[in-house]
Amino acid sequence: MAKAETIKKRAPVTARRPPVGASPGTLIADPAARRSELRLTLMSPDKFETIDDASIDDVKANCDTWPVIWLDCTGLANIPLIEEIGRIFSLHPLALEDVVNTGQRPKVDFFEDHAFVVVRMIDDVTAHRYEQIAVFFGKNFVVTFQEREGDPFDPVRKRIESSMPNRLRARGADYLAYALIDAIVDSYFPPIETAGELVDSIEDQMLRAADKHQMRRLHELRRDANVLKGVLWPMRDALATLIRNDVPYVKAETKVFLNDTLDHSLRLIELVETQRDMLTGLIEMHLSLSQARTSDVISVLTIVSAIFIPLTFLVGVWGMNFDPESSPWNMPELKAQYGYPAALVFMALIALGLIAFFRWKKWL
């Protein structure tokens, strides 16, 4: 692991809300919102048509002439456009307010002729930045709102554009809404699996040698796991609500597929919980290894000090400046011919004896 490692910074998540006391359903665009662009996909069992950079006129002209239409709005800056989309499809104003005020909790709301689903998608895997996607669907339409470009819907688009008749074009708007939600849920698997591989790699590194950079990375990964848990649990609840409610625009056969998506969300939650437990255990293990290493260092220093304490005492005694001429008790050893080498040999024997004693006690 690199010695110099920058800490990953996250942009603060702030919810854009209407002023206090504003009328319900008031739409106020975030100043940082992206420019709104429309993509219209028209489907029937036998054919399809896609209109990039579609206009409101395109939507009005085709909304009643195709069995299923999918309007994808990318960017939430154009409030009049969003309001017009709401009028065309009779979308509830409170739901449109939640579309513009991003940062909503994943949920499902049911209205008389359509459902409103809020899900969160991983927008940037490396930064773990999330994006809100709002999905409206009714008897013959699906409307999606995204904050910015980039989504996991390409496999769905390819299935729609298949030259052969397929189930996605034939089953209706509720099945298309299921396919889009399922794509969002499945998009969580790659980053979560990548995080699991990274956790295993850090564990292997710790078993070889623990360092402070590993602890910082472990804390970052656990924080990411907590964020994922906070996203996946309400998404699971939203899917369960979508399955349980009996509304005419969600067919029974579609609920079977939604059950499969619910199983995927439960699997994701289990993966995140497992990783979170592993990270907690690795953090505790890192602390234990660090403490054990510190104890080893302190033990070595203590043994070295214990060896040098008697030697320092002897050197201190022999180093006192007494005159042996004045009294036979005043350090007569100072006049010995071999006093210096004898003192060194005596101190070496003491040091060796202490080392042998420590090894016998298994302190070394």
Side-chain angles (χ1 to χ4, degrees), residues 95-294:
L96 288 177
E97 182 181 349
D98 288 341
V99 168
V100 176
N101 301 330
T102 57
Q104 301 292 323
R105 188 173 184 265
K107 63 175 183 176
V108 175
D109 291 330
F110 294 97
F111 303 100
E112 184 177 353
D113 59 351
H114 66 277
F116 172 54
V117 183
V118 175
V119 289
R120 301 196 68 79
M121 178 192 72
I122 294 184
D123 189 48
D124 189 330
V125 175
T126 57
H128 281 264
R129 185 179 61 181
Y130 296 85
E131 175 186 347
Q132 173 177 302
I133 295 183
V135 181
F136 293 88
F137 69 95
K139 182 179 179 180
N140 67 331
F141 72 89
V142 175
V143 180
T144 55
F145 290 93
Q146 306 182 45
E147 296 181 51
R148 47 192 163 263
E149 293 181 358
D151 56 49
F153 297 154
D154 284 342
V156 178
R157 295 187 180 103
K158 290 179 180 178
R159 289 167 60 190
I160 293 173
E161 296 168 1
S162 173
S163 59
M164 300 295 294
N166 58 67
R167 183 167 51 192
L168 188 57
R169 294 205 305 261
R171 282 185 174 266
D174 57 338
Y175 188 84
L176 173 59
Y178 144 74
L180 297 175
I181 295 171
D182 184 68
I184 294 171
V185 172
D186 287 348
S187 69
Y188 280 81
F189 279 103
I192 290 177
E193 291 170 355
T194 300
E197 294 173 359
L198 181 58
V199 171
D200 293 338
S201 174
I202 294 176
E203 182 180 18
D204 294 337
Q205 294 174 12
M206 284 176 53
L207 294 175
R208 291 193 297 267
D211 59 58
K212 61 181 181 181
H213 301 295
Q214 295 164 352
M215 176 63 81
R216 181 172 61 188
R217 191 70 181 113
L218 289 172
H219 277 291
E220 289 177 355
L221 288 171
R222 189 170 67 171
R223 181 172 56 187
D224 293 339
N226 288 332
V227 174
L228 278 168
K229 180 182 176 182
V231 172
L232 292 173
W233 274 103
M235 191 177 297
R236 182 211 64 170
D237 295 338
L239 289 168
T241 302
L242 191 58
I243 294 169
R244 285 196 305 266
N245 278 268
D246 187 16
V247 289
Y249 44 82
V250 181
K251 304 183 189 69
E253 54 266 28
T254 303
K255 291 183 179 181
V256 175
F257 294 97
L258 286 170
N259 263 314
D260 181 67
T261 304
L262 177 61
D263 290 340
H264 291 182
S265 69
L266 292 173
R267 182 183 171 193
L268 287 169
I269 291 172
E270 291 174 356
L271 288 173
V272 171
E273 290 283 2
T274 300
Q275 288 183 15
R276 189 169 174 271
D277 293 341
M278 286 184 62
L279 288 165
T280 300
L282 288 177
I283 290 173
E284 294 175 353
M285 185 175 77
H286 193 284
L287 291 173
S288 299
L289 291 174
S290 299
Q291 292 173 355
R293 182 180 179 185
T294 302

